[in-house]
Amino acid sequence: MPRDMTNPVTEDREPAVESERGALVAVLLMVILGVAGIFAVS
């Protein structure tokens, strides 16, 4: 029973971590592009 409980939990966490990483990467890219845009305009 504990094995059945841990497997779905880890499977649910892995995609969540991947989506969180993707969101963080997207936010970082937007910040970097924004800063680069500010320097380009100035």
Side-chain angles (χ1 to χ4, degrees):
M1 292 298 292
R3 290 181 183 176
D4 293 338
M5 292 298 294
T6 55
N7 287 337
V9 171
T10 54
E11 289 177 358
D12 289 340
R13 285 182 182 176
E14 290 176 358
V17 171
E18 291 177 358
S19 64
E20 289 178 359
R21 287 179 182 175
L24 288 175
V25 171
V27 170
L28 287 175
L29 286 175
M30 292 298 291
V31 171
I32 292 170
L33 289 174
V35 172
I38 291 172
F39 280 112
V41 171
S42 62

